[in-house]
Amino acid sequence: MAEEHINSANTQIGKFVVIEAGAIIGKNVSIGHHTIILKNTQIDDNVIIGSNCILGILPSKGVNMRESRVNRPLRVLSGTKIGNLVSIYAGTTISEKVFIADHASIRNNVSIDRGTIIGRGSIIELNTVIGKSCTIQTLAYVTGDTVIEDNVFIGPCVSMSNDKYMGGMEYVLKGPTICKGAKIGNNASLLPGIIIGKNAVVGAGAVVTKDVEDGISVAGVPARKINDRDDE
C-alpha cells in the first residue's frame, strides 16, 4: 500500500486492500475489504467504495478485438458511492455524486456525469457518454460507442447493440443515441446507430430498428408509434 498517496483525514481502509503506486486517495474516503485500487487511479474526497472492487483496470485485447487505447487514469469525483464487486477501467471519469450499485462493470473511456445511477449488474461498454441525472437500472447492457443525454431512464434488462453486421463485415461501430428525457422500458432492445428523440418513450419489450422522433411513444416488435405525446 502506497500510503504516501493517501490523504489520511478521516479516510477508512478495510482489510486486505491493495493501493498501487501512483494512486491518489482523497479525504474522507471509505474503501471496503479486499478492494484493489490500481496504479494512477484518482479518488477524490468523500467517495465510498465497497468490498471486492477493482478500480483502474487496463484493457486487454483478444483475437479479432479492436484496439482500445487508454490515455488517462480512472478518476472518481467527490461524493460518488460505489457498491461491492464493481469493476471500473482506466480512462473513465465518474463525476460527482454518481451511485454505482453492486456487480456493475464500467469499461474504459466512459464518461458518467453528475448524479447518475448505474444499477446492479449493469454493464457500460467502452467509449460511452452518459449525461447528468440518468437512471440505468438493474442488468441493463449499454453497448460501446453509445451516447445517453441528461435525465434519461433505462429500465431493467434493456439491451443495446453497436454492430449492424454482427462482425460479418467492416462497419464503424456506433451504439444508440438516447436524447434528453427519453425513457426506455424494461427488456427493450435498441439496434445500432438509432436515435431516440427527446422525451420519447420506448415500451417494455420493444425492438427499436428505426429512429424515434421527439416526444413520441413506440412499442412492439418492431417498434411502431402508438401516440404523439404532445397531442395528449
Side-chain angles (χ1 to χ4, degrees):
M1 183 181 297
E3 295 184 356
E4 67 273 18
H5 298 288
I6 300 172
N7 190 324
S8 59
N10 298 319
T11 291
Q12 302 177 14
I13 298 176
K15 296 179 180 179
F16 307 110
V17 169
V18 175
I19 300 176
E20 291 191 344
I24 299 173
I25 311 296
K27 300 176 184 177
N28 197 32
V29 171
S30 175
I31 302 174
H33 308 311
H34 297 276
T35 282
I36 300 172
I37 311 294
L38 296 172
K39 65 179 182 179
N40 301 324
T41 297
Q42 300 175 17
I43 308 296
D44 283 8
D45 299 343
N46 305 307
V47 170
I48 298 174
I49 303 168
S51 297
N52 295 290
C53 298
I54 305 179
L55 305 185
I57 304 166
L58 290 173
S60 57
K61 183 178 182 296
V63 176
N64 298 324
M65 290 176 63
R66 59 174 165 161
E67 184 176 1
S68 180
R69 297 182 179 180
V70 170
N71 297 319
R72 62 186 187 276
L74 168 64
R75 186 174 181 192
V76 180
L77 274 64
S78 179
T80 284
K81 297 180 180 180
I82 299 172
N84 304 300
L85 293 157
V86 171
S87 60
I88 308 178
Y89 281 63
T92 284
T93 299
I94 310 295
S95 194
E96 298 91 348
K97 297 185 178 180
V98 170
F99 180 86
I100 302 171
D102 298 346
H103 297 270
S105 175
I106 301 172
R107 287 290 306 277
N108 48 297
N109 302 325
V110 169
S111 174
I112 300 177
D113 212 336
R114 180 184 178 91
T116 282
I117 297 170
I118 306 296
R120 181 181 176 91
S122 294
I123 298 174
I124 314 297
E125 296 282 19
L126 70 168
N127 306 327
T128 287
V129 177
I130 300 176
K132 297 180 178 69
S133 301
C134 294
T135 297
I136 298 177
Q137 292 206 332
T138 299
L139 295 175
Y141 176 76
V142 178
T143 191
D145 309 279
T146 292
V147 176
I148 299 175
E149 295 184 354
D150 298 343
N151 301 302
V152 166
F153 177 92
I154 307 290
C157 301
V158 166
S159 180
M160 307 178 194
S161 56
N162 66 355
D163 188 347
K164 184 176 182 180
Y165 302 107
M166 296 181 288
M169 63 178 68
E170 290 293 325
Y171 175 74
V172 177
L173 299 177
K174 177 63 177 174
T177 296
I178 305 175
C179 297
K180 185 175 180 179
K183 300 181 186 301
I184 314 298
N186 60 291
N187 288 292
S189 296
L190 310 183
L191 270 61
I194 63 166
I195 299 172
I196 307 296
K198 292 180 180 179
N199 300 311
V201 174
V202 174
V207 177
V208 184
T209 62
K210 297 180 180 179
D211 294 351
V212 178
E213 297 176 4
D214 293 353
I216 297 298
S217 294
V218 299
V221 181
R224 292 183 173 88
K225 176 181 175 181
I226 57 175
N227 63 24
D228 188 331
R229 299 176 68 212
D230 291 337
D231 293 338
E232 294 179 356

